[in-house]
Amino acid sequence: MLAVNELKDIQGKRVLVRVDFNVPLKEGAIRDDNRVVAALPTIQELINKGAKVILFSHLGKIKHKEAPEVIEAAKKKNNLAPVAKRLGELLKKDVKFANTTRGSEVTSLVNSLNNGDVLLLQNTRYEKGEEKNDADLSKDWAALADAYVMDAFGSAHRAHASTYGVPEILKKEGKQVAIGYLVKKEVDNLMRCVEVKDADRPYIAILGGLKVSDKIKVIESLLKKCDKILIGGAMAYTFQKALGHKIGTSPVENDQLEYAMRCFKEANGKIVLPVDSMVANGFEGWTEKKEVGLDIPDGFQGMDIGPKTRELFASEIKKAKMIFWNGPMGVFEQKDFQEGTISICKAVASLNNVFSVCGGGDSAAAIKEFGYKDKFSHVSTGGGASLEMIENDGHLPGVDIIK
Ligand code: AMP
């Protein structure tokens, strides 16, 4: 698989780069430009080599089945123009912006590019066919490019037109396709959690967050690879109920009870569940919180792992040589229920010589908020993509198509 620095003879060539500029926006202002910053090394490499750089990305969600005025409002909200401005500031150079995704405006802007120029196209999801990997759309975008670079790790688990259809066509045409620096770093780090070496054992996975059903496949896959899986967060209560404990009004997926039971038994001691919880008499606007053991009283719901579980999980984490973590241990958005998630951060931070990966999404937001980002060996930029990469033994459509 080629990397961006291995592309040959790209001076003066049009290089189409799929980036992940799906930044949080509030009233047109960028709240966090991390994703734009993360794409800079690849863009800079191409500028330095004198390529004509054409960037495209999705931003937010646009539901094309909605009424026309709803679609228009979603387009207005998810306009990439502020990102072009911010990218220009970061690169310290003019970044051209096409307010459309294809057609004459785009073609004439592409034709006007000089070597080393940068153009950003409007949000790929303005196009109905993007998420359907529409053949005509892919053809139109592919026609803009002499070469293609995939640097949107957060979208690599989706076979959309911009992530799959376009490189598929370009490959068939014998054009160069490559991964960017960001995708390369993600793949290199995450593959270590997929193809586990003896030196990286004990390998401990920590899973949390809301839904067992979202993480079934990753649990099954991790059971084959890991030495222990610590399960916290709301998803732990489905396991607790399956094992016959009282869970009060905690979130539970009743259709997953049988799966949870079977999975726990087959894991043969590999799955470690919480032994206590911090509970409250409601999710928001609660008036009473307390610490309870394995059984949660009626009218209360589990909001975080309890102090004994924090200790239990920390003692397991201390044995690890490699850690993969996805999903918070509790409702970390509320100050009263952050301790469990912070305790994982602290346990990981206290270790030397451990390879630790935070699998993106909410856990990445949490470690950043609590000031532990630097303590992890790798923090993934793609929550969904990193989980799918583990689930599918290292395969992602947007990366596989480049191979
Ligand atoms: P996920 O996207 O599956 O990683 O889930 C993340 C969400 O799970 C966060 O918004 C947390 O607030 C939520 N969460 C974690 N633990 C609990 C819990 N005990 N009860 C309700 N929500 C939870």
Side-chain angles (χ1 to χ4, degrees):
M1 186 161 55
L2 277 187
V4 58
N5 55 318
E6 294 164 327
L7 289 172
K8 296 214 171 65
D9 305 323
I10 51 165
Q11 187 173 12
K13 298 276 164 55
R14 301 164 303 162
V15 182
L16 182 60
V17 189
R18 176 56 160 99
V19 282
D20 179 3
F21 284 169
N22 185 26
V23 294
L25 284 175
K26 197 166 186 193
E27 282 145 28
I30 300 172
R31 283 194 294 119
D32 181 351
D33 67 359
N34 260 350
R35 285 187 165 151
V36 187
V37 173
L40 293 177
T42 292
I43 300 170
Q44 198 60 62
E45 164 85 21
L46 294 168
I47 295 172
N48 294 348
K49 293 217 168 126
K52 297 172 177 173
V53 187
I54 308 160
L55 307 172
F56 66 156
S57 169
H58 79 282
L59 173 63
K61 288 199 172 86
I62 296 173
K63 292 183 182 148
H64 289 274
K65 281 190 182 138
E66 299 282 354
E69 60 277 15
V70 178
I71 297 174
E72 269 323 298
K75 284 186 174 174
K76 203 166 160 213
K77 186 173 155 218
N78 296 307
N79 187 324
L80 269 173
V83 179
K85 188 163 167 274
R86 181 72 192 122
L87 178 63
E89 289 162 6
L90 290 166
L91 288 171
K92 297 191 180 64
K93 72 181 272 140
D94 183 44
V95 169
K96 295 185 165 66
F97 180 65
N99 202 17
T100 45
T101 39
R102 54 177 163 165
S104 56
E105 186 200 353
V106 169
T107 338
S108 67
L109 275 166
V110 168
N111 290 339
S112 75
L113 292 177
N114 292 314
N115 295 4
D117 278 357
V118 179
L119 165 69
L120 174 64
L121 307 187
Q122 186 52 281
N123 185 354
T124 54
R125 288 196 181 158
Y126 274 35
E127 293 280 354
K128 196 158 82 186
E130 157 72 331
E131 294 184 62
K132 294 182 187 148
N133 189 14
D134 178 76
D136 285 335
L137 177 62
S138 299
K139 224 163 84 188
D140 278 2
W141 277 334
L144 302 174
D146 301 309
Y148 172 92
V149 175
M150 171 57 171
D151 211 19
F153 183 73
S155 302
H157 56 314
R158 299 182 174 128
H160 290 173
S162 64
T163 56
Y164 196 88
V166 174
E168 192 181 30
I169 293 174
L170 292 170
K171 250 170 71 172
K172 276 190 196 140
E173 290 173 351
K175 304 214 166 110
Q176 298 182 89
V177 298
I179 51 169
Y181 286 125
L182 186 142
V183 168
K184 183 162 170 40
K185 192 170 146 214
E186 292 274 9
V187 170
D188 288 349
N189 280 300
L190 287 163
M191 278 314 284
R192 195 161 157 185
C193 299
V194 173
E195 289 169 357
V196 188
K197 296 199 185 77
D198 284 346
D200 283 333
R201 294 195 180 278
Y203 172 19
I204 297 197
I206 309 156
L207 291 181
L210 211 47
K211 288 188 177 166
V212 175
S213 51
D214 280 354
K215 293 179 186 166
I216 284 181
K217 284 207 234 133
V218 84
I219 297 174
E220 283 172 353
S221 179
L222 282 169
L223 278 172
K224 289 185 209 130
K225 302 182 204 304
C226 285
D227 299 295
K228 281 267 161 75
I229 307 185
L230 318 179
I231 297 184
M235 62 188 275
Y237 299 109
T238 298
F239 282 89
Q240 302 290 32
K241 184 170 176 185
L243 295 175
H245 296 293
K246 285 176 65 181
I247 59 159
T249 52
S250 304
V252 63
E253 284 170 281
N254 284 314
D255 56 345
Q256 299 300 333
L257 292 174
E258 220 171 278
Y259 165 80
M261 183 67 159
R262 182 167 42 84
C263 185
F264 185 80
K265 274 191 182 153
E266 283 171 11
N268 222 349
K270 267 193 189 179
I271 292 182
V272 183
L273 292 171
V275 290
D276 60 353
S277 290
M278 297 305 300
V279 300
N281 60 343
F283 184 75
E284 268 169 311
W286 49 266
T287 51
E288 197 187 340
K289 70 163 189 171
K290 58 184 176 182
E291 195 185 303
V292 302
L294 265 174
D295 290 303
I296 298 178
D298 291 344
F300 284 84
Q301 68 179 94
M303 298 286 276
D304 194 7
I305 55 173
K308 290 197 186 79
T309 309
R310 299 202 290 262
E311 253 175 56
L312 172 68
F313 283 7
S315 69
E316 294 290 349
I317 290 169
K318 289 212 162 77
K319 297 175 201 157
K321 285 269 168 52
M322 182 157 79
I323 288 163
F324 175 80
W325 177 21
N326 184 292
M329 295 292 102
V331 186
F332 75 101
E333 296 91 340
Q334 295 188 33
K335 219 172 170 2
D336 290 272
F337 305 108
Q338 295 178 337
E339 267 316 301
T341 303
I342 293 176
S343 72
I344 301 290
C345 295
K346 283 187 178 155
V348 173
S350 73
L351 302 176
N352 294 316
N353 299 325
V354 68
F355 180 69
S356 52
V357 173
C358 173
D362 274 315
S363 18
I367 64 167
K368 206 174 150 199
E369 184 183 332
F370 302 139
Y372 287 89
K373 197 172 171 207
D374 299 343
K375 303 290 179 193
F376 284 76
S377 316
H378 180 67
V379 181
S380 177
T381 54
S386 65
L387 279 183
E388 274 204 38
M389 186 146 170
I390 304 249
E391 274 168 36
N392 301 332
D393 266 329
H395 293 285
L396 290 176
V399 175
D400 287 355
I401 191 69
I402 305 295
K403 284 175 190 163

